[in-house]
């Protein structure tokens, strides 16, 4: 059983490393969004996807380890939380698992906050892009703003309505 606790601790530490990578990529994305260099976003997202895939593989392994622990401890898998597993571990394994567990909690909170900020930045960028497209495409024609489509007709009124606009005849 000691071997399973070691495998679990190793697995959690690897997951911790992938979460740290995800934070690194999230910070890179944030800088790209703030600086408006959207063309640099795609390579970072691809690297991020690799880290997410790696983490999902580690998660599958973690679930297998917990399944084995549940059998040995005669517990239901669904009820076997990491806190409960830590209670079953020996003192040396317990310290390592608790430390990793606390680090995971902190890093996941940090990652959630970072993802929320990046989501907000993306929403702001999209709003700005949509606003710019609306202006360029002429949306909102009911309020033409400074430049109206009536300029040509207004200038024709001036030249034809006022025959003496120019003092010379052509």
């Amino acid at each position: 059983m000691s071997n399973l606790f070691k495998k679990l601790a190793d697995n959690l530490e690897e997951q911790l490393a992938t979460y740290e990578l995800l934070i690194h990529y999230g910070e890179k994305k944030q800088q790209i969004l703030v600086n408006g260099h959207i063309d640099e976003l795609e390579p970072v997202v691809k690297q991020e996807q690799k880290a997410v895939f790696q983490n999902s593989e580690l998660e599958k392994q973690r679930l297998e380890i917990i399944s084995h622990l549940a059998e040995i401890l005669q517990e239901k898998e669904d009820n076997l939380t990491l806190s409960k597993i830590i209670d079953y571990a020996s003192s040396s394994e317990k310290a390592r698992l608790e430390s990793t567990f606390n680090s995971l909690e902190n890093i996941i909170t940090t990652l959630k906050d970072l993802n929320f900020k990046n989501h907000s930045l993306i929403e702001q960028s999209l709003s700005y892009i949509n606003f710019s497209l609306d202006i360029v495409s002429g949306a909102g024609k009911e309020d033409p703003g400074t430049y109206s489509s009536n300029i040509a007709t207004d200038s024709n009124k001036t030249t034809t309505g006022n025959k003496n606009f120019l003092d010379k005849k052509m």
Side-chain angles (χ1 to χ4, degrees), residues 20-38 40-45 47-48 114-115 118 121:
E20 288 171 349
L21 259 178
L22 290 172
I23 285 178
H24 170 74
Y25 295 139
E27 289 170 344
K28 276 178 113 173
K29 287 191 314 186
Q30 192 172 65
Q31 280 300 319
I32 290 168
L33 291 168
V34 167
N35 294 332
H37 301 138
I38 304 302
E40 297 173 10
L41 198 57
E42 186 178 348
V44 176
V45 170
Q47 292 172 324
E48 186 180 45
L114 185 61
N115 283 339
N118 285 349
L121 285 170

